[in-house]
Amino acid sequence: MKDVSIIVLDFGSQYTQLIARRLREERVYCEILPYYTKADEIALKNPQGIIFSGGPSSVYDDDAYEVDLKIYELGLPLLGICYGMQRIAVDFKGEVVRSDHHEYGKAELHLSKSNRSDLFEECEDGRTVWMSHSDRVERLPDGFESIAHSDNSPYAAIASVSRNIYAMQFHPEVQHSTEGYLMLRNFARKICGVKAKWDIGHFLKEQVSKIKEQVGNKKVLCGLSGGVDSSVVAALLYEAIGDQLVPVFVDNGLLRKGEREQVEQVFKLNLKVPLITVDAADNFLDKLKDIDDPEQKRKIIGHTFIEEFEAEAAKHDGIGFLAQGTLYPDVIESISVNGPSQTIKSHHNVGGLPEWMNFKLIEPLRELFKDEVRKLGRELMLPESMIERHPFPGPGLAIRIMGDVNSADLALLREADAILLDELKVSGYYARTWQAFAVLLNVKSVGVMGDNRTYDNTICVRVVEAVDGMTATFAHLPHDLLERISRRIINEVDGINRVVYDISSKPPATIEWE
């Protein structure tokens, strides 16, 4: 079993993934496990420290999340964050009470002058931290002392140095906590003594060796979409096993303008990977005919992809594995503290294979976040145009057309989307935003072109800024850029007479429309 420098136990906080991301940015390898993970299972990973995340519940709820108390006997440095702090306080016989008022938002953190902790090395007094809690520690457990306070929290941070246990009422992992990254780094480096500096180059070497051992003399079927994740998976597998890779690019007829040609160019000419292209557009469009429910669209597309892969696999002897671009956030979601979250939309990677597909699953990116996948792509010499490509959903343009999917609407949407992306790239905003695309609303309105009345369709432009897609805000594009995008779409795409801009954020909206 692979050694993990820091284990993060997840108590259900929306910020848990950010803890891992911040540590990885500091080149500290960590993994997230559910709060109920047993101490002996944690010990097998040989960690140098443990972090308790925050969480939405109260330590005094009937169904409060509790830890295996033997974790405290492992003798490892421990950091509790928000709920994690309250969990530690109660477990060591302190007192936690419901606060008179919720403390949510920015606060000034004042460091103890008499108990200056290694946790705050290089941190300045009075810096901003992010509070998000309703319970608070009323009485410290024996052997603990305050190492920082805020105006509303006398115990904003506490420590029991003899036990090597530290805790914070605030969230150091969020960007609003201006020096939170320093605190997490100090916990890992100063308190836990983590020396090894993990980086993507180490990951590449480890994975190449691991893939060779796992695959043996079998072949691996890899489905390519042209997106970052599947492209990196294919390049990594080719690096490890060469011609044992069977890379299949399915043209489902739901791609953006010129996408098929771009993918074939990169893999066949640039990387010399023997790409197999399957033209399945007619099959997908036939099955999507008259289907307007977005969830049904996604399921049909997902099932049809699997059918196409199985048909292609039957043409090759010796295939033992199917590769998927599962990322670490997918893995975390699938083992969340309450089980998998309510389905917002289908067509995620995690979930295994249908019983009738006689392949084993290989997921070489399942330990990485999205930004780490891009770094790996650079190590593998993928072109920057592919590495920095915006996320594109598996169901493609089908979920960017409101209503049923047909060839005419797809052609219209492709042209509008190509104009949007072209203008964003020319202006420099493509590289500064997380995701940008056009949506065909299938809402018609009256317009005037020349002396003629029109009654044509509406395109919605969606451009968002995000770090990892978990949350997003609409991009504040310059008005002259929006005007140019609108003018070109209306002038150059027959059938469009109106362009609107989506200014909703996630949450409450999702990034995609369906």
Side-chain angles (χ1 to χ4, degrees):
M1 181 177 287
K2 180 178 180 178
D3 287 356
V4 180
S5 295
I6 301 291
I7 293 290
V8 180
L9 291 187
D10 179 20
F11 288 86
S13 169
Q14 60 180 320
Y15 303 132
T16 299
Q17 289 189 32
L18 290 179
I19 301 171
R21 283 177 57 85
R22 295 290 174 261
L23 287 168
R24 297 263 190 107
E25 287 166 1
E26 297 296 332
R27 299 177 66 187
V28 174
Y29 187 70
C30 60
E31 289 184 3
I32 298 173
L33 298 174
Y35 71 91
Y36 48 76
T37 305
K38 296 297 184 183
D40 55 358
E41 185 178 342
I42 292 173
L44 286 174
K45 290 182 175 286
N46 198 29
Q48 293 174 258
I50 299 172
I51 296 177
F52 289 178
S53 83
S57 59
S58 168
V59 289
Y60 290 127
D61 289 343
D62 292 338
D63 55 353
Y65 297 152
E66 298 180 354
V67 296
D68 179 1
L69 295 179
K70 291 182 180 179
I71 288 173
Y72 298 118
E73 299 172 10
L74 293 174
L76 295 170
L78 178 62
L79 174 66
I81 296 173
C82 200
Y83 180 91
M85 172 177 174
Q86 296 154 18
R87 182 75 269 159
I88 289 168
V90 169
D91 289 345
F92 282 90
K93 310 305 181 186
E95 184 180 358
V96 174
V97 299
R98 180 71 66 179
S99 182
D100 295 334
H101 61 278
H102 293 195
E103 189 174 14
Y104 183 82
K106 295 179 180 179
E108 280 190 7
L109 185 71
H110 299 289
L111 309 179
S112 173
K113 295 179 181 178
S114 58
N115 294 319
R116 184 73 182 202
S117 171
D118 288 344
L119 196 63
F120 299 130
E121 185 171 318
E122 298 183 32
C123 296
E124 295 183 16
D125 189 64
R127 298 307 293 269
T128 298
V129 294
W130 186 259
M131 296 284 188
S132 179
H133 65 99
S134 54
D135 291 355
R136 61 179 172 82
V137 176
E138 177 76 4
R139 179 176 55 81
L140 292 181
D142 291 344
F144 282 78
E145 57 188 356
S146 175
I147 55 175
H149 70 275
S150 68
D151 290 343
N152 293 317
S153 298
Y155 305 129
I158 61 175
S160 175
V161 177
S162 62
R163 300 184 181 95
N164 230 354
I165 297 178
Y166 301 80
M168 305 168 171
Q169 186 59 75
F170 55 91
H171 289 270
E173 68 273 25
V174 304
Q175 288 182 330
H176 298 301
S177 293
T178 53
E179 292 185 335
Y181 72 96
L182 274 176
M183 300 169 196
L184 291 172
R185 178 202 295 169
N186 287 338
F187 176 70
R189 301 287 183 200
K190 303 291 183 182
I191 295 172
C192 298
V194 176
K195 302 295 184 187
K197 292 190 175 181
W198 180 86
D199 64 29
I200 207 68
H202 295 148
F203 177 87
L204 175 56
K205 291 176 184 177
E206 290 173 359
Q207 280 299 312
V208 166
S209 176
K210 181 179 177 180
I211 290 167
K212 287 179 178 178
E213 181 180 352
Q214 182 179 1
V215 171
N217 61 358
K218 296 289 185 181
K219 293 180 180 178
V220 179
L221 183 67
C222 177
L224 272 155
S225 68
V228 179
D229 302 340
S230 67
S231 298
V232 172
V233 167
L236 174 57
L237 287 168
Y238 195 67
E239 176 86 4
I241 59 174
D243 291 340
Q244 289 173 250
L245 174 67
V246 182
V248 179
F249 175 60
V250 176
D251 182 353
N252 58 11
L254 307 172
L255 304 174
R256 291 173 293 192
K257 186 176 181 179
E259 199 152 22
R260 173 172 172 168
E261 293 76 14
Q262 292 168 9
V263 172
E264 290 177 335
Q265 163 81 24
V266 168
F267 281 93
K268 289 184 177 180
L269 298 181
N270 295 28
L271 299 178
K272 309 301 182 185
V273 175
L275 181 67
I276 299 168
T277 300
V278 177
D279 189 345
D282 290 343
N283 186 21
F284 278 84
L285 291 181
D286 285 346
K287 291 186 176 182
L288 288 169
K289 187 177 180 180
D290 298 326
I291 303 296
D292 58 9
D293 178 75
E295 185 66 8
Q296 196 173 355
K297 286 183 195 176
R298 287 177 173 272
K299 288 180 178 178
I300 288 171
I301 293 165
H303 292 155
T304 307
F305 262 118
I306 292 174
E307 290 172 9
E308 292 292 344
F309 286 138
E310 187 192 40
E312 184 60 37
K315 302 175 185 178
H316 304 269
D317 294 328
I319 291 181
F321 297 87
L322 176 67
Q324 282 192 342
T326 306
L327 302 190
Y328 198 39
D330 301 322
V331 176
I332 296 167
E333 174 67 16
S334 71
I335 58 169
S336 64
V337 295
N338 289 317
S341 299
Q342 178 183 357
T343 298
I344 296 174
K345 54 190 179 185
S346 298
H347 204 73
H348 284 291
N349 287 324
V350 173
L353 299 171
E355 292 180 2
W356 46 265
M357 276 192 93
N358 192 28
F359 303 137
K360 294 178 181 177
L361 205 55
I362 185 168
E363 300 169 306
L365 307 183
R366 63 183 286 117
E367 297 175 5
L368 300 184
F369 289 101
K370 190 79 171 187
D371 55 335
E372 294 169 331
V373 174
R374 297 187 197 279
K375 291 176 183 176
L376 180 59
R378 291 186 179 93
E379 290 279 334
L380 291 163
M381 306 301 289
L382 283 169
E384 202 67 21
S385 60
M386 180 165 281
I387 292 170
E388 290 301 329
R389 184 185 145 175
H390 285 184
F392 187 60
L397 297 181
I399 57 167
R400 293 176 179 175
I401 294 175
M402 302 296 100
D404 67 303
V405 181
N406 56 73
S407 297
D409 282 355
L410 283 166
L412 189 150
L413 178 58
R414 279 193 190 98
E415 293 301 322
D417 191 72
I419 291 170
L420 168 64
L421 298 183
D422 179 56
E423 289 295 336
L424 289 175
K425 288 173 182 176
V426 168
S427 66
Y429 274 89
Y430 185 86
R432 293 158 60 181
T433 52
W434 170 264
Q435 196 168 359
F437 55 91
V439 181
L440 182 63
L441 298 186
N442 271 319
V443 173
K444 292 190 174 183
S445 62
V446 175
V448 177
M449 291 187 179
D451 294 326
N452 297 319
R453 176 186 182 276
T454 61
Y455 189 62
D456 285 333
N457 221 319
T458 305
I459 283 287
C460 175
V461 170
R462 178 77 158 141
V463 186
V464 299
E465 297 173 350
V467 175
D468 50 24
M470 296 168 60
T471 61
T473 58
F474 70 91
H476 292 250
L477 300 181
H479 287 180
D480 61 339
L481 175 57
L482 287 171
E483 182 181 12
R484 192 160 59 249
I485 292 167
S486 175
R487 183 173 62 248
R488 281 197 59 193
I489 290 175
I490 291 171
N491 288 344
E492 298 176 28
V493 183
D494 289 339
I496 300 295
N497 69 354
R498 193 176 297 269
V499 175
V500 298
Y501 188 53
D502 184 346
I503 60 169
S504 51
S505 295
K506 175 188 179 181
T510 54
I511 294 176
E512 296 286 349
W513 273 54
E514 289 192 343

